[in-house]
Amino acid sequence: MTRRDEVLAVAEAVLEAEGPDALTMRRLADEMGMQAPSLYKHVRGKEDIEAGLQERALRALGEAIAPAGGGLLELATAYRVWALAHPRLYGLATGRPLHREALTPGLETATAAPLLAIVGGDEHRARALWALVHGLVDLEIARRFPPGADLDRTWRTALEVFSRPA
Amino acid sequence: MTRRDEVLAVAEAVLEAEGPDALTMRRLADEMGMQAPSLYKHVRGKEDIEAGLQERALRALGEAIAPAGGGLLELATAYRVWALAHPRLYGLATGRPLHREALTPGLETATAAPLLAIVGGDEHRARALWALVHGLVDLEIARRFPPGADLDRTWRTALEVFSRPA
DNA sequence: ACCTGAACACCGTTCAAGT
DNA sequence: ACCTGAACACCGTTCAAGT
């Protein structure tokens, strides 16, 4: 556990518990018992922290959906459950451009592998499926569906459309 | 054109041209030839400005997709074109909770009407379609698809899945 | 190698005061 | 009714200085 990883762990906890506004350099420093300028000895800046959180998010999401049994429903459910359990982290990893240059090579592909596998290796269908699942999760996290909407049913309907054979 | 609407028009222009970080009270005041505290005579605060921008976004998006001919492809294309032309405004209106209490009554429903119509009035299918289209647009705006991805083809594939009869 | 205090150029917002 | 200057409690980041 390097000092940088400690910063990232604290950052993830603060982000998830109190939201992006609470994720400030001064707050992280405080949490680690140091002054804000000292953070820059362990981390390049706030962008660097966000890049690190994206890496952690992809890794965790990938692990969450990988062991899901072969079915589309299982995969989608695992995706949904993880995203709803880590909404801010999920948003950080999908709602803005990836810091790809800072990512462990192959991580992006590895995370997406279960999606690709379930559509038989067709990358276009995999992207369409990703968009569907991401859209559902994103709108649910942002509470953008109408207040009374039955989201379980929305998910079921959406997945039925996708599982219908070509 | 009330003074509040002037603020919103300036805010939209700044947001779309330079991104959310440029959207500051001081910048807006400057653009209008006044000091930052004076803005509070025309607008309740930054939240109020964001609520006003959401209203403008929904109205404009609704107008953009309403006249699209009956086809799913036309509707989805109009949605995509508008969103890509106003990416930050689109994000403001879909990437965070709606300030529903500040919205013109019926606007949310009116904006969604074309989506609902095209699936024959089935609200669950309408939400699934919205999630799909939103997911595609959101990931495209955030440049989250792999660098070389053929997004036109992704859209085509996604819409084919949806148009297949039940 | 790691940490500090002071500083710089910013934020959103409040408030007394002016016209 | 509208605008201002000063102020408050914040930001991210740099830098000289200490150990």
Side-chain angles (χ1 to χ4, degrees):
Chain A
M1 182 84 138
T2 105
R3 214 96 167 87
R4 180 172 193 276
D5 288 329
E6 280 184 61
V7 175
L8 292 181
V10 170
E12 180 175 336
V14 169
L15 171 67
E16 215 52 85
E18 299 175 43
D21 287 353
L23 192 62
T24 72
M25 299 302 277
R26 283 170 164 90
R27 170 64 185 278
L28 294 183
D30 205 57
E31 213 80 36
M32 297 198 56
M34 56 175 72
Q35 301 300 314
S38 304
L39 281 174
Y40 292 75
K41 283 291 154 187
H42 308 108
V43 127
R44 264 197 298 276
K46 203 174 180 185
E47 282 237 326
D48 186 30
I49 293 177
E50 286 168 0
L53 291 182
Q54 287 187 330
E55 165 107 19
R56 290 169 68 98
L58 288 190
R59 206 175 288 281
L61 174 58
E63 283 168 16
I65 65 174
L72 175 60
L73 177 63
E74 286 81 359
L75 178 64
T77 301
Y79 191 104
R80 184 186 183 197
V81 166
W82 189 88
L84 294 183
H86 310 83
R88 334 267 200 172
L89 205 55
Y90 180 81
L92 194 61
T94 61
R96 60 187 72 188
L98 266 188
H99 293 262
R100 290 195 170 85
E101 75 294 343
L103 237 51
T104 300
L107 176 58
E108 191 179 1
T109 310
T111 305
L115 274 298
L116 191 60
I118 213 154
V119 293
D122 178 338
E123 61 178 356
H124 304 102
R125 274 183 71 88
R127 282 171 200 147
L129 173 59
W130 184 35
L132 177 63
V133 172
H134 167 70
L136 285 163
V137 153
D138 194 53
L139 294 172
E140 185 170 2
I141 289 175
R143 293 192 296 282
R144 273 305 325 268
F145 286 113
D150 181 343
L151 298 192
D152 288 347
R153 179 133 180 224
T154 299
W155 275 83
R156 240 180 297 127
T157 303
L159 294 178
E160 274 165 24
V161 168
F162 218 94
S163 54
R164 212 172 298 144
Chain B
M1 181 86 137
T2 104
R3 215 96 167 87
R4 181 171 192 274
D5 288 329
E6 281 184 61
V7 176
L8 293 181
V10 170
E12 179 175 335
V14 169
L15 171 67
E16 214 51 86
E18 301 175 43
D21 288 352
L23 191 63
T24 72
M25 299 302 277
R26 283 170 165 89
R27 169 67 184 277
L28 294 183
D30 204 57
E31 212 81 36
M32 298 199 54
M34 55 175 72
Q35 300 301 314
S38 304
L39 282 174
Y40 291 76
K41 282 291 155 185
H42 308 109
V43 127
R44 265 198 297 276
K46 202 175 181 186
E47 282 236 326
D48 186 30
I49 294 178
E50 286 169 358
L53 290 181
Q54 287 186 331
E55 166 107 17
R56 291 170 67 98
L58 287 190
R59 206 174 288 280
L61 175 58
E63 283 168 17
I65 64 174
L72 175 62
L73 178 64
E74 287 81 0
L75 178 64
T77 301
Y79 192 103
R80 184 187 182 195
V81 166
W82 190 88
L84 294 183
H86 309 83
R88 333 266 200 172
L89 205 54
Y90 180 82
L92 194 60
T94 61
R96 62 187 70 189
L98 266 189
H99 294 260
R100 289 194 171 86
E101 74 294 344
L103 238 49
T104 299
L107 176 58
E108 190 180 1
T109 310
T111 305
L115 275 297
L116 190 61
I118 213 154
V119 295
D122 179 338
E123 61 178 355
H124 304 101
R125 273 183 72 88
R127 282 171 200 145
L129 174 58
W130 183 34
L132 177 62
V133 171
H134 166 69
L136 285 163
V137 154
D138 193 53
L139 294 171
E140 185 170 3
I141 288 175
R143 295 194 293 283
R144 273 307 322 270
F145 286 112
D150 181 344
L151 298 192
D152 287 346
R153 178 130 181 226
T154 300
W155 274 83
R156 240 180 298 128
T157 303
L159 293 179
E160 275 165 24
V161 168
F162 219 94
S163 53
R164 211 173 298 144

